[in-house]
Amino acid sequence: MTIRVAVLGAAGRMGATTCAAVEAADGLELVARLDVGDDIAALAGTADVAVDFTVPDATEANVHALLDAGVHAVVGTTGWDDDALARVREHAAGTPGVGVMIAPNFALSAVLAMRFAELAAPLFASVEVVEMHHPRKVDAPSGTAIHTARGVAAARAAAGAPAMPDATESDPRGARGADYDGVHVHAVRLDGLVAHEQIFLSNPGELLTIRTDSFDRSSFMPGVLLAVRGVARHPGLSVGLDAYLDL
Ligand code: NAP
């Protein structure tokens, strides 16, 4: 059966790339391109899945409107915090049968890097995350870096790993980066870059670097299409594409 797909933020960089990928994909039909001011309620009954690549200020309201319309949501827009995720989780619980996938990164290399970091994290004394992006990105650190840091912290906590060594007493300008559950995250903005992340894991005498690079927006499309095809089978809120992969 053909899956009818709408794209929110269709005129944006990721939205336009998604429209082209959906049009080229077997079994998917692009039925709507929505931008600022367009009516999401009108998607009820005409679209099965909507992909949101908009802006952090708009994405949560879009997802609530999609839930109200009974349209599955695949969300790549970043900027989500715990409270916003909790509100969507609660709304989705009251909307049985509708799935929401919020993925901070649809690139399979990034999804795997996050998983590898979780596996390795309890085995190393120190772990830090450095994300690097183009300077037009409006939020920092990246959603991927936050998701990575939280996964690392959770894996270390589950394994009973001790606190990381750090003698810093004075850091008036925040040079040690942002602290996510005890994992430091550093954001670099450089013209010419697209989306890159390195996870440094060290023990005395050794360093493991896990690195993922997206050179082009096409890197996100296999993951977006995988989510579009899978979201109806996963009612409720899922965070991170690994939830749909058997890793
Ligand atoms: P972009 O080029 O600025 O595109 C955003 C588009 O959304 C713009 O066309 C904007 O219109 C439109 N928009 C704003 N508010 C809207 C609303 N309420 N309803 C519908 N459309 C609306 O940004 P981008 O580079 O495509 O990135 C979009 C988001 O995806 C960012 O949060 C980025 O970090 C994220 N991203 C995620 C992944 C991933 O794998 N998860 C990968 C890459 C990027 P106007 O220009 O008229 O405001």
Side-chain angles (χ1 to χ4, degrees):
M1 202 182 77
T2 300
I3 301 173
R4 299 168 300 172
V5 183
V7 174
L8 314 186
R13 289 164 291 206
M14 285 298 294
T17 307
T18 301
C19 289
V22 168
E23 286 180 317
D26 289 337
L28 307 184
E29 182 189 359
L30 183 69
V31 294
R33 299 170 188 256
L34 274 63
D35 284 292
V36 183
D38 290 338
D39 183 17
I40 290 175
L43 295 177
T46 64
D48 303 307
V49 178
V51 181
D52 182 301
F53 277 113
T54 59
V55 292
D57 283 351
T59 186
E60 186 191 349
N62 290 346
V63 172
H64 288 296
L66 290 168
L67 283 165
D68 287 337
V71 176
H72 305 292
V74 170
V75 182
T77 312
T78 51
W80 288 83
D81 61 23
D82 290 343
D83 290 345
L85 290 173
R87 287 189 291 270
V88 167
R89 187 172 286 111
E90 190 180 338
H91 191 171
T95 318
V98 183
V100 179
M101 160 55 69
I102 299 178
N105 200 317
F106 283 107
L108 296 175
S109 62
V111 174
L112 288 170
M114 287 188 265
R115 183 74 188 114
F116 295 155
E118 278 176 2
L119 289 173
L123 303 173
F124 288 85
S126 302
V127 187
E128 301 213 4
V129 179
V130 180
E131 58 95 325
M132 298 163 285
H133 283 82
H134 59 84
R136 295 166 304 286
K137 183 169 176 55
V138 295
D139 51 324
S142 69
T144 305
I146 295 170
H147 200 68
T148 306
R150 293 220 158 117
V152 162
R156 290 175 64 81
M164 297 185 214
D166 185 354
T168 308
E169 288 180 3
S170 168
D171 180 14
R173 301 284 180 101
R176 290 287 292 117
D179 181 333
Y180 283 89
D181 302 340
V183 179
H184 286 258
V185 177
H186 311 266
V188 177
R189 295 292 174 263
L190 290 173
D191 219 349
L193 297 188
V194 182
H196 317 263
E197 181 172 299
Q198 295 186 53
I199 305 121
F200 295 110
L201 305 105
S202 77
N203 279 322
E206 64 172 343
L207 171 70
L208 169 65
T209 305
I210 300 171
R211 176 174 179 137
T212 168
D213 298 277
S214 281
F215 302 114
D216 187 88
R217 291 186 181 86
S218 60
S219 64
F220 304 114
M221 292 303 117
V224 170
L225 298 182
L226 189 151
V228 166
R229 292 186 168 112
V231 66
R233 291 194 300 277
H234 296 86
L237 173 64
S238 304
V239 180
L241 192 62
D242 49 312
Y244 290 9
L245 300 169
D246 187 16
L247 296 177

